[in-house]
Amino acid sequence: MTESSTTEAAASGDTGTSPGVESRYGAPKRRISAKSQRWMILGALLLALAAMIYFTVGNAIGQITHTDVGYTIVSDTEAEVDFQVTKDFDATVQCMVHVLDNSYAVVGADIVTLGPQDGSNPEDRSQYYSTDVRTESRGVTGVVDSCWDAD
């Protein structure tokens, strides 16, 4: 060590041994208090709950669902298909109804248009419908293939 570096080391409080941990790595980080950790966990849980509610309610509104209820094979050229559709009250929906034979081939099809409906309770969004479908040959089942928003 030269004389000037010795004076600088003495002035800075360094004795010339090894540099201190603080000068090498910086000041130690402060720990988060237990109270702050609890508030952060509570905030994260509330945020997750709010997101779950938002996505659950958001997916239920405006969603169109359909369920097959039953069918009646009236004759070799006709079948009746009963189904349930859940939609918004003011929505106009179209559903594709198929009649299938024993090899799952489509022997009859019909597009049913379902207009706006009255109601105010969420349970009123679901309505039962029935449609007659003309067929090319005798069917063995009737199903709703899909429903979509016609607006």
Side-chain angles (χ1 to χ4, degrees):
M1 259 189 172
T2 65
E3 185 176 321
S4 64
S5 64
T6 309
T7 358
E8 290 172 12
S12 66
D14 190 10
T15 57
T17 58
S18 65
V21 174
E22 287 183 13
S23 64
R24 187 177 294 170
Y25 301 111
K29 297 191 189 252
R30 294 184 341 178
R31 307 277 289 156
I32 298 174
S33 69
K35 184 177 181 180
S36 296
Q37 286 178 350
R38 282 192 296 264
W39 279 110
M40 288 177 16
I41 290 170
L42 180 63
L45 288 173
L46 287 174
L47 185 64
L49 178 65
M52 183 181 68
I53 291 171
Y54 172 78
F55 288 117
T56 301
V57 171
N59 285 338
I61 296 172
Q63 186 178 24
I64 301 168
T65 60
H66 59 85
T67 306
D68 299 325
V69 175
Y71 63 91
T72 303
I73 305 300
V74 178
S75 68
D76 287 347
T77 59
E78 186 179 2
E80 181 181 317
V81 180
D82 302 318
F83 57 100
Q84 177 184 13
V85 175
T86 303
K87 65 180 186 70
D88 288 340
F89 298 116
D90 58 346
T92 299
V93 172
Q94 290 184 319
C95 295
M96 174 61 78
V97 180
H98 287 165
V99 176
L100 309 174
D101 66 6
N102 57 2
S103 63
Y104 301 105
V106 177
V107 294
D110 190 19
I111 295 177
V112 180
T113 301
L114 310 171
Q117 65 199 41
D118 294 330
S120 59
N121 295 331
E123 300 86 36
D124 295 337
R125 292 179 62 228
S126 295
Q127 297 285 320
Y128 290 95
Y129 300 94
S130 181
T131 187
D132 294 326
V133 180
R134 308 254 322 145
T135 61
E136 296 175 356
S137 61
R138 186 166 190 85
V140 295
T141 188
V143 296
V144 176
D145 181 61
S146 61
C147 291
W148 62 90
D149 193 4
D151 292 336

mmCIF file of all heavy atoms in Angstrom, residues 116-137:
data_model
loop_
_atom_site.group_PDB
_atom_site.id
_atom_site.type_symbol
_atom_site.label_atom_id
_atom_site.label_comp_id
_atom_site.label_asym_id
_atom_site.label_seq_id
_atom_site.Cartn_x
_atom_site.Cartn_y
_atom_site.Cartn_z
ATOM 1 N N PRO A 116 -87.440 -12.875 -28.266
ATOM 2 C CA PRO A 116 -87.404 -12.379 -26.881
ATOM 3 C C PRO A 116 -88.540 -12.962 -26.054
ATOM 4 O O PRO A 116 -89.577 -13.354 -26.587
ATOM 5 C CB PRO A 116 -87.585 -10.865 -27.054
ATOM 6 C CG PRO A 116 -87.125 -10.586 -28.441
ATOM 7 C CD PRO A 116 -87.496 -11.804 -29.242
ATOM 8 N N GLN A 117 -88.336 -13.018 -24.757
ATOM 9 C CA GLN A 117 -89.326 -13.604 -23.851
ATOM 10 C C GLN A 117 -89.518 -12.704 -22.645
ATOM 11 O O GLN A 117 -88.678 -11.865 -22.346
ATOM 12 C CB GLN A 117 -88.879 -14.993 -23.407
ATOM 13 C CG GLN A 117 -87.606 -14.963 -22.572
ATOM 14 C CD GLN A 117 -86.910 -16.299 -22.513
ATOM 15 O OE1 GLN A 117 -86.834 -16.991 -23.506
ATOM 16 N NE2 GLN A 117 -86.410 -16.651 -21.343
ATOM 17 N N ASP A 118 -90.636 -12.876 -21.955
ATOM 18 C CA ASP A 118 -90.928 -12.108 -20.748
ATOM 19 C C ASP A 118 -90.313 -12.794 -19.543
ATOM 20 O O ASP A 118 -90.170 -14.012 -19.502
ATOM 21 C CB ASP A 118 -92.446 -11.994 -20.534
ATOM 22 C CG ASP A 118 -93.109 -11.166 -21.620
ATOM 23 O OD1 ASP A 118 -92.442 -10.266 -22.155
ATOM 24 O OD2 ASP A 118 -94.285 -11.433 -21.934
ATOM 25 N N GLY A 119 -89.976 -11.993 -18.550
ATOM 26 C CA GLY A 119 -89.456 -12.538 -17.304
ATOM 27 C C GLY A 119 -88.561 -11.531 -16.621
ATOM 28 O O GLY A 119 -88.082 -10.581 -17.234
ATOM 29 N N SER A 120 -88.348 -11.762 -15.335
ATOM 30 C CA SER A 120 -87.470 -10.878 -14.578
ATOM 31 C C SER A 120 -86.538 -11.659 -13.657
ATOM 32 O O SER A 120 -85.513 -11.151 -13.251
ATOM 33 C CB SER A 120 -88.297 -9.885 -13.761
ATOM 34 O OG SER A 120 -89.146 -10.586 -12.876
ATOM 35 N N ASN A 121 -86.894 -12.884 -13.321
ATOM 36 C CA ASN A 121 -86.055 -13.713 -12.448
ATOM 37 C C ASN A 121 -85.030 -14.465 -13.277
ATOM 38 O O ASN A 121 -85.292 -14.834 -14.419
ATOM 39 C CB ASN A 121 -86.918 -14.722 -11.684
ATOM 40 C CG ASN A 121 -87.867 -14.057 -10.717
ATOM 41 O OD1 ASN A 121 -87.582 -12.976 -10.202
ATOM 42 N ND2 ASN A 121 -89.003 -14.681 -10.480
ATOM 43 N N PRO A 122 -83.868 -14.725 -12.714
ATOM 44 C CA PRO A 122 -82.868 -15.503 -13.445
ATOM 45 C C PRO A 122 -83.377 -16.883 -13.865
ATOM 46 O O PRO A 122 -82.961 -17.421 -14.876
ATOM 47 C CB PRO A 122 -81.709 -15.630 -12.453
ATOM 48 C CG PRO A 122 -81.869 -14.466 -11.531
ATOM 49 C CD PRO A 122 -83.351 -14.218 -11.442
ATOM 50 N N GLU A 123 -84.307 -17.463 -13.094
ATOM 51 C CA GLU A 123 -84.847 -18.780 -13.440
ATOM 52 C C GLU A 123 -85.686 -18.715 -14.717
ATOM 53 O O GLU A 123 -85.850 -19.716 -15.417
ATOM 54 C CB GLU A 123 -85.713 -19.341 -12.305
ATOM 55 C CG GLU A 123 -84.994 -19.521 -10.990
ATOM 56 C CD GLU A 123 -84.997 -18.245 -10.151
ATOM 57 O OE1 GLU A 123 -85.987 -17.499 -10.156
ATOM 58 O OE2 GLU A 123 -83.969 -17.988 -9.500
ATOM 59 N N ASP A 124 -86.231 -17.532 -15.014
ATOM 60 C CA ASP A 124 -87.078 -17.367 -16.197
ATOM 61 C C ASP A 124 -86.278 -17.346 -17.497
ATOM 62 O O ASP A 124 -86.857 -17.355 -18.580
ATOM 63 C CB ASP A 124 -87.899 -16.070 -16.101
ATOM 64 C CG ASP A 124 -88.894 -16.107 -14.951
ATOM 65 O OD1 ASP A 124 -89.268 -17.218 -14.529
ATOM 66 O OD2 ASP A 124 -89.283 -15.019 -14.486
ATOM 67 N N ARG A 125 -84.948 -17.290 -17.396
ATOM 68 C CA ARG A 125 -84.116 -17.294 -18.604
ATOM 69 C C ARG A 125 -84.201 -18.636 -19.331
ATOM 70 O O ARG A 125 -83.938 -18.714 -20.516
ATOM 71 C CB ARG A 125 -82.650 -17.001 -18.244
ATOM 72 C CG ARG A 125 -82.417 -15.575 -17.760
ATOM 73 C CD ARG A 125 -80.962 -15.312 -17.398
ATOM 74 N NE ARG A 125 -80.107 -15.466 -18.552
ATOM 75 C CZ ARG A 125 -78.984 -16.172 -18.544
ATOM 76 N NH1 ARG A 125 -78.594 -16.798 -17.461
ATOM 77 N NH2 ARG A 125 -78.256 -16.258 -19.626
ATOM 78 N N SER A 126 -84.566 -19.698 -18.623
ATOM 79 C CA SER A 126 -84.676 -21.028 -19.221
ATOM 80 C C SER A 126 -86.120 -21.284 -19.642
ATOM 81 O O SER A 126 -87.034 -21.122 -18.837
ATOM 82 C CB SER A 126 -84.245 -22.113 -18.230
ATOM 83 O OG SER A 126 -82.883 -21.980 -17.926
ATOM 84 N N GLN A 127 -86.300 -21.690 -20.877
ATOM 85 C CA GLN A 127 -87.632 -21.982 -21.418
ATOM 86 C C GLN A 127 -87.577 -23.318 -22.151
ATOM 87 O O GLN A 127 -86.540 -23.694 -22.713
ATOM 88 C CB GLN A 127 -88.066 -20.892 -22.395
ATOM 89 C CG GLN A 127 -88.211 -19.510 -21.771
ATOM 90 C CD GLN A 127 -89.465 -19.380 -20.941
ATOM 91 O OE1 GLN A 127 -90.512 -19.885 -21.317
ATOM 92 N NE2 GLN A 127 -89.358 -18.710 -19.805
ATOM 93 N N TYR A 128 -88.715 -24.014 -22.149
ATOM 94 C CA TYR A 128 -88.838 -25.275 -22.879
ATOM 95 C C TYR A 128 -89.477 -25.010 -24.236
ATOM 96 O O TYR A 128 -90.411 -24.221 -24.346
ATOM 97 C CB TYR A 128 -89.678 -26.281 -22.089
ATOM 98 C CG TYR A 128 -88.966 -26.786 -20.865
ATOM 99 C CD1 TYR A 128 -89.173 -26.201 -19.621
ATOM 100 C CD2 TYR A 128 -88.067 -27.839 -20.950
ATOM 101 C CE1 TYR A 128 -88.513 -26.643 -18.499
ATOM 102 C CE2 TYR A 128 -87.404 -28.290 -19.836
ATOM 103 C CZ TYR A 128 -87.629 -27.700 -18.618
ATOM 104 O OH TYR A 128 -86.961 -28.141 -17.502
ATOM 105 N N TYR A 129 -88.975 -25.691 -25.237
ATOM 106 C CA TYR A 129 -89.483 -25.535 -26.596
ATOM 107 C C TYR A 129 -89.675 -26.914 -27.217
ATOM 108 O O TYR A 129 -89.032 -27.891 -26.813
ATOM 109 C CB TYR A 129 -88.513 -24.716 -27.457
ATOM 110 C CG TYR A 129 -88.271 -23.333 -26.915
ATOM 111 C CD1 TYR A 129 -87.192 -23.078 -26.083
ATOM 112 C CD2 TYR A 129 -89.138 -22.289 -27.224
ATOM 113 C CE1 TYR A 129 -86.977 -21.807 -25.576
ATOM 114 C CE2 TYR A 129 -88.927 -21.011 -26.719
ATOM 115 C CZ TYR A 129 -87.841 -20.785 -25.903
ATOM 116 O OH TYR A 129 -87.634 -19.533 -25.389
ATOM 117 N N SER A 130 -90.534 -26.965 -28.233
ATOM 118 C CA SER A 130 -90.787 -28.199 -28.960
ATOM 119 C C SER A 130 -90.900 -27.845 -30.435
ATOM 120 O O SER A 130 -91.463 -26.814 -30.794
ATOM 121 C CB SER A 130 -92.082 -28.839 -28.465
ATOM 122 O OG SER A 130 -92.312 -30.045 -29.148
ATOM 123 N N THR A 131 -90.336 -28.690 -31.287
ATOM 124 C CA THR A 131 -90.421 -28.436 -32.722
ATOM 125 C C THR A 131 -90.621 -29.746 -33.468
ATOM 126 O O THR A 131 -90.133 -30.800 -33.030
ATOM 127 C CB THR A 131 -89.169 -27.706 -33.238
ATOM 128 O OG1 THR A 131 -89.362 -27.349 -34.598
ATOM 129 C CG2 THR A 131 -87.923 -28.560 -33.113
ATOM 130 N N ASP A 132 -91.347 -29.678 -34.565
ATOM 131 C CA ASP A 132 -91.531 -30.825 -35.449
ATOM 132 C C ASP A 132 -90.489 -30.757 -36.548
ATOM 133 O O ASP A 132 -90.271 -29.702 -37.144
ATOM 134 C CB ASP A 132 -92.931 -30.815 -36.066
ATOM 135 C CG ASP A 132 -94.012 -31.032 -35.021
ATOM 136 O OD1 ASP A 132 -93.748 -31.782 -34.060
ATOM 137 O OD2 ASP A 132 -95.099 -30.455 -35.156
ATOM 138 N N VAL A 133 -89.852 -31.892 -36.814
ATOM 139 C CA VAL A 133 -88.803 -31.957 -37.833
ATOM 140 C C VAL A 133 -89.196 -33.005 -38.866
ATOM 141 O O VAL A 133 -89.496 -34.149 -38.522
ATOM 142 C CB VAL A 133 -87.439 -32.321 -37.191
ATOM 143 C CG1 VAL A 133 -86.355 -32.377 -38.244
ATOM 144 C CG2 VAL A 133 -87.079 -31.348 -36.084
ATOM 145 N N ARG A 134 -89.200 -32.604 -40.120
ATOM 146 C CA ARG A 134 -89.464 -33.549 -41.219
ATOM 147 C C ARG A 134 -88.187 -34.343 -41.469
ATOM 148 O O ARG A 134 -87.077 -33.793 -41.407
ATOM 149 C CB ARG A 134 -89.865 -32.795 -42.478
ATOM 150 C CG ARG A 134 -90.996 -31.824 -42.259
ATOM 151 C CD ARG A 134 -92.328 -32.163 -42.779
ATOM 152 N NE ARG A 134 -92.357 -32.822 -44.056
ATOM 153 C CZ ARG A 134 -93.253 -33.745 -44.343
ATOM 154 N NH1 ARG A 134 -94.149 -34.098 -43.460
ATOM 155 N NH2 ARG A 134 -93.279 -34.313 -45.516
ATOM 156 N N THR A 135 -88.338 -35.641 -41.767
ATOM 157 C CA THR A 135 -87.183 -36.512 -41.954
ATOM 158 C C THR A 135 -87.251 -37.225 -43.297
ATOM 159 O O THR A 135 -88.329 -37.400 -43.875
ATOM 160 C CB THR A 135 -87.111 -37.562 -40.823
ATOM 161 O OG1 THR A 135 -88.284 -38.366 -40.854
ATOM 162 C CG2 THR A 135 -86.968 -36.897 -39.474
ATOM 163 N N GLU A 136 -86.080 -37.643 -43.796
ATOM 164 C CA GLU A 136 -85.993 -38.407 -45.043
ATOM 165 C C GLU A 136 -86.338 -39.870 -44.821
ATOM 166 O O GLU A 136 -86.881 -40.537 -45.690
ATOM 167 C CB GLU A 136 -84.576 -38.315 -45.611
ATOM 168 C CG GLU A 136 -84.162 -36.926 -46.022
ATOM 169 C CD GLU A 136 -82.719 -36.878 -46.468
ATOM 170 O OE1 GLU A 136 -82.005 -37.899 -46.392
ATOM 171 O OE2 GLU A 136 -82.294 -35.800 -46.906
ATOM 172 N N SER A 137 -85.949 -40.370 -43.654
ATOM 173 C CA SER A 137 -86.253 -41.760 -43.289
ATOM 174 C C SER A 137 -86.492 -41.786 -41.784
ATOM 175 O O SER A 137 -86.361 -40.768 -41.099
ATOM 176 C CB SER A 137 -85.096 -42.687 -43.691
ATOM 177 O OG SER A 137 -83.907 -42.307 -43.019
#
